[in-house]
Amino acid sequence: VLEMRPLPLIHDSNIAHIVRTDPQLNQKIIGSIKVGKGVVPYIHDFSLTENYAILFVWPLRLELSNFLNGDGILKQAVFHEDIPTKIYVFDIKSKEDPEPIARFETDSMVAYHHINAYEEVEPDGSVRIVVDISAYPDGGMMNGEHGFAYIDQLGDPELRKKQEKQAECCRWCLPITGKSEQYKWVNPTKLEAVDSNGLRYLSEL
């Protein structure tokens, strides 16, 4: 959930929240992060493990000035290749603190969907989180001439073949050693399209 603060001269930042909803539809914020003054990042998905929520804030932004011009918000999204992707890890078992327990930066890229996430315990007892995501190198899958999944593109057999749809499977290993206010750089590892169990992560329309 994005809490938009529309008066940049008064408010310091928009805030992204991760919200838990119980069976009675009661809601509680379990994670929050400031994303920047007037910033509206495009975030479609996030990952959950048994103990953590992992939020990737891609440098693909929706510009408020384009919201009302009738040309479509997503097609006008702006990719900032000079801004790294920010990664935030939240402890979902914490009863009080919605602040991230760890923060990371990685390459500038964009993703629609996360594939998988899980926790691993190292021999020394420390924990790391493994996150797999189907990622694109830039915003072309959304704002390119042949952006992904637009109805006019899907309805035309020839245009459908040109769609920017071939993402790469990327894996991040995030060391979780306690609350950290400093960003640590993490490089993604490129995975094969088909894993050892024969599951295909990528497909073509």
Side-chain angles (χ1 to χ4, degrees), residues 20-119:
R20 174 190 286 132
T21 303
D22 68 18
Q24 288 73 45
L25 302 183
N26 299 310
Q27 296 183 326
K28 178 184 178 181
I29 294 174
I30 60 173
S32 296
I33 194 68
K34 293 181 179 181
V35 294
K37 185 178 295 186
V39 173
V40 182
Y42 179 80
I43 304 172
H44 183 75
D45 201 357
F46 67 96
S47 283
L48 281 175
T49 67
E50 182 179 355
N51 296 294
Y52 303 102
I54 307 96
L55 180 68
F56 282 65
V57 179
W58 316 104
L60 182 69
R61 298 178 177 177
L62 309 179
E63 303 296 333
L64 293 176
S65 59
N66 295 334
F67 274 32
L68 300 177
N69 64 12
D71 292 334
I73 296 174
L74 298 184
K75 289 185 177 181
Q76 298 181 89
V78 178
F79 180 72
H80 298 268
E81 63 180 8
D82 58 326
I83 299 177
T85 298
K86 303 290 180 65
I87 307 171
Y88 303 96
V89 179
F90 302 93
D91 182 353
I92 62 176
K93 299 294 180 68
S94 173
K95 295 182 179 180
E96 301 296 335
D97 190 3
E99 290 291 314
I101 64 166
R103 306 163 186 249
F104 304 90
E105 290 185 348
T106 190
D107 299 344
S108 300
M109 54 179 62
V110 182
Y112 274 128
H113 294 123
H114 294 214
I115 298 170
N116 193 22
Y118 55 92
E119 300 168 29

Side-chain angles (χ1 to χ4, degrees), residues 3-14 37-38 40 64:
E3 178 185 342
M4 295 182 64
R5 299 186 166 191
L7 301 175
L9 294 179
I10 300 175
H11 300 129
D12 59 346
S13 176
N14 289 341
K37 185 178 295 186
V40 182
L64 293 176

Side-chain angles (χ1 to χ4, degrees), residues 79-196:
F79 180 72
H80 298 268
E81 63 180 8
D82 58 326
I83 299 177
T85 298
K86 303 290 180 65
I87 307 171
Y88 303 96
V89 179
F90 302 93
D91 182 353
I92 62 176
K93 299 294 180 68
S94 173
K95 295 182 179 180
E96 301 296 335
D97 190 3
E99 290 291 314
I101 64 166
R103 306 163 186 249
F104 304 90
E105 290 185 348
T106 190
D107 299 344
S108 300
M109 54 179 62
V110 182
Y112 274 128
H113 294 123
H114 294 214
I115 298 170
N116 193 22
Y118 55 92
E119 300 168 29
E120 288 186 336
V121 180
E122 303 288 4
D124 62 0
S126 62
V127 176
R128 73 172 187 170
I129 299 172
V130 179
V131 184
D132 296 340
I133 294 178
S134 179
Y136 298 82
D138 55 39
M141 53 80 177
M142 184 177 295
N143 58 19
E145 180 181 359
H146 300 290
F148 177 70
Y150 291 117
I151 298 300
D152 58 339
Q153 302 275 336
L154 290 173
D156 187 311
E158 294 305 315
L159 290 178
R160 189 162 63 234
K161 295 177 183 177
K162 299 178 181 180
Q163 286 196 311
E164 300 188 41
K165 58 186 177 294
Q166 196 69 302
E168 290 186 295
C169 296
C170 297
R171 168 168 290 178
W172 287 266
C173 297
L174 310 175
I176 307 302
T177 57
K179 190 176 181 67
S180 171
E181 294 301 327
Q182 300 299 318
Y183 284 104
K184 292 173 283 188
W185 189 269
V186 284
N187 292 315
T189 300
K190 303 297 174 63
L191 303 179
E192 296 295 330
V194 180
D195 70 8
S196 59

